[in-house]
Amino acid sequence: MKAFLIDRYGKKETGRIGDAPEPSLRDDDVLIRVHAASVNALDTKIRTGEFKLILPYRLPLILGNDMAGTVVSVGAGVHHFKPGDEVYARPDDDRIGTFAEFIAVNAASVALKPSNLTMVEAASLPLVALTAWQALVETAQIKPGQKVFVQAGSGGVGTVAIQLAKHLGAFVATTTSTANVEWVKALGADVVIDYKQQDFATELRDYDVVLNSLGKDELTRSLQILKPGGHLISISGPPTPAFAVARGLAWPLKQILRLLSRGIRSKARQRGVAYTFLFMRADGRQLSEITSLVESGAIRPVIDRVFPFQDTRGALAYVESGRTKGKVVVEMA
């Protein structure tokens, strides 16, 4: 089959389209013909090697972390999917590779595609929607009336997190650039901070939850807007010792992560708030819940650009530029 691969880690590695063996099917797997796959910041970070200690992939590696497609065959132990089903998924993080004609995914990570979406639209959702769900529903356990601050509201995670937080009954604030202020308000944000003219840390107060996806400076300043008992959730790091334990990482890595996160954990304790690093995981059950929200109209995908599979390299470069508004999708021929 045709696939988009990297042969080595590094900022100069741009990837290539080449031949790869079709995936073998385990008893609990679903073999899917990929119709479309979305490009995530995670793909660019994996390519440069940022996650090679946590996710030790074998090279050459097929990139791609979520997709939509059609079931071709199922393993002997799979009974709730059948050939012809239209599905979408975020594969387990040790079995990525959605930039390809086919992928085998554990059935527990797969859900039926929302009936009101195209393949391209559905492909844009699994990773970012699961991230938002696991941050706001599972970790923060948002309740109606709470105040939630979502960093980078026009980004892939931000566009879904705003919609999900509003569905949960929260008051939502976010940041974006001047050009996108009204556009982000239309997604449901109650307060929009134009980061080119305003400082969120001085504009916002007494928030229950912050979902951070930006850098160290924004992470630290987010503490200032949280009320005592609030929760700072970061998907951009630094990882914590609790994350290391959950991943079963080796003792030296646990110590490294303890040191990397010591500063923010200490500052959070001093302000009486919780700090959690979230590295989203595949979950077909949660994705089915998201399907229901999409079909009800509570969440809609936001797509910036669609690239042909032959230009996957261009799609990655566009995401890496940081100028995207919503998601970027690669469509198979």
Side-chain angles (χ1 to χ4, degrees):
M1 67 175 183
K2 293 296 183 184
F4 182 84
L5 310 104
I6 59 168
D7 295 299
R8 63 191 64 80
Y9 293 123
K11 292 184 177 180
K12 293 183 179 180
E13 172 67 11
T14 56
R16 62 180 173 87
I17 291 176
D19 292 317
E22 287 192 16
S24 56
L25 197 65
R26 302 176 187 175
D27 284 350
D28 54 357
D29 280 351
V30 176
L31 181 65
I32 302 167
R33 178 185 294 276
V34 179
H35 290 266
S38 88
V39 183
N40 295 279
L42 179 60
D43 295 303
T44 65
K45 291 179 179 180
I46 289 172
R47 184 182 62 182
T48 58
E50 284 187 43
F51 285 99
K52 63 184 178 182
L53 292 178
I54 296 172
L55 298 170
Y57 295 115
R58 295 176 65 179
L59 298 170
L61 171 68
I62 304 173
L63 287 179
N65 280 275
D66 57 2
M67 49 66 65
T70 305
V71 175
V72 175
S73 59
V74 300
V78 177
H79 306 291
H80 52 291
F81 293 107
K82 64 185 185 302
D85 283 346
E86 295 188 339
V87 296
Y88 67 155
R90 188 279 197 257
D92 293 328
D93 56 38
D94 61 346
R95 299 180 67 191
I96 68 170
T98 61
F99 298 160
E101 292 180 299
F102 298 94
I103 186 170
V105 183
N106 187 300
S109 302
V110 179
L112 292 173
K113 176 184 77 66
S115 59
N116 57 336
L117 296 187
T118 66
M119 286 289 185
V120 166
E121 290 169 329
S124 74
L125 283 176
L127 187 141
V128 294
L130 284 169
T131 299
W133 182 278
Q134 289 167 19
L136 302 179
V137 176
E138 188 175 67
T139 304
Q141 299 180 7
I142 297 295
K143 297 177 176 57
Q146 288 190 313
K147 295 169 69 176
V148 177
F149 175 51
V150 177
Q151 287 275 22
S154 58
V157 173
T159 54
V160 177
I162 290 169
Q163 296 177 76
L164 179 59
K166 287 303 294 182
H167 171 74
L168 296 170
F171 179 91
V172 183
T174 192
T175 54
T176 194
S177 62
T178 309
N180 294 331
V181 169
E182 294 304 317
W183 181 80
V184 171
K185 283 182 180 177
L187 288 175
D190 298 288
V191 173
V192 181
I193 303 295
D194 178 352
Y195 68 78
K196 293 190 174 182
Q197 301 182 32
Q198 300 168 284
D199 178 4
F200 76 86
T202 59
E203 298 279 346
L204 307 177
R205 281 290 175 272
D206 297 323
Y207 274 69
D208 297 281
V209 177
V210 172
L211 175 55
N212 176 72
S213 57
L214 301 177
K216 183 178 179 181
D217 180 54
E218 290 86 357
L219 180 72
T220 302
R221 293 193 299 123
S222 293
L223 293 171
Q224 299 173 36
I225 74 168
L226 283 165
K227 64 170 62 171
H231 202 154
L232 173 56
I233 301 169
S234 179
I235 60 173
S236 56
T240 60
F243 165 77
V245 171
R247 297 286 303 189
L249 300 180
W251 184 87
L253 266 179
K254 291 179 183 177
Q255 302 315 305
I256 291 171
L257 298 190
R258 184 181 301 278
L259 288 172
L260 286 174
S261 64
R262 184 168 61 184
I264 190 65
R265 288 186 291 114
S266 175
K267 290 172 183 174
R269 278 195 304 270
Q270 290 169 15
R271 297 189 69 93
V273 303
Y275 170 70
T276 299
F277 169 71
L278 174 68
F279 192 82
M280 66 76 58
R281 68 184 188 282
D283 191 313
R285 181 186 57 79
Q286 291 180 353
L287 200 53
S288 293
E289 298 268 9
I290 291 161
T291 295
S292 298
L293 293 182
V294 173
E295 291 179 341
S296 74
I299 292 176
R300 60 182 175 85
V302 178
I303 296 176
D304 185 329
R305 286 182 63 181
V306 180
F307 287 75
F309 173 64
Q310 290 79 6
D311 195 21
T312 301
R313 183 185 295 175
L316 283 160
Y318 183 55
V319 168
E320 205 165 20
S321 75
R323 298 191 302 269
T324 59
K325 194 165 87 170
K327 289 301 297 292
V328 172
V329 178
V330 168
E331 187 173 22
M332 304 300 293

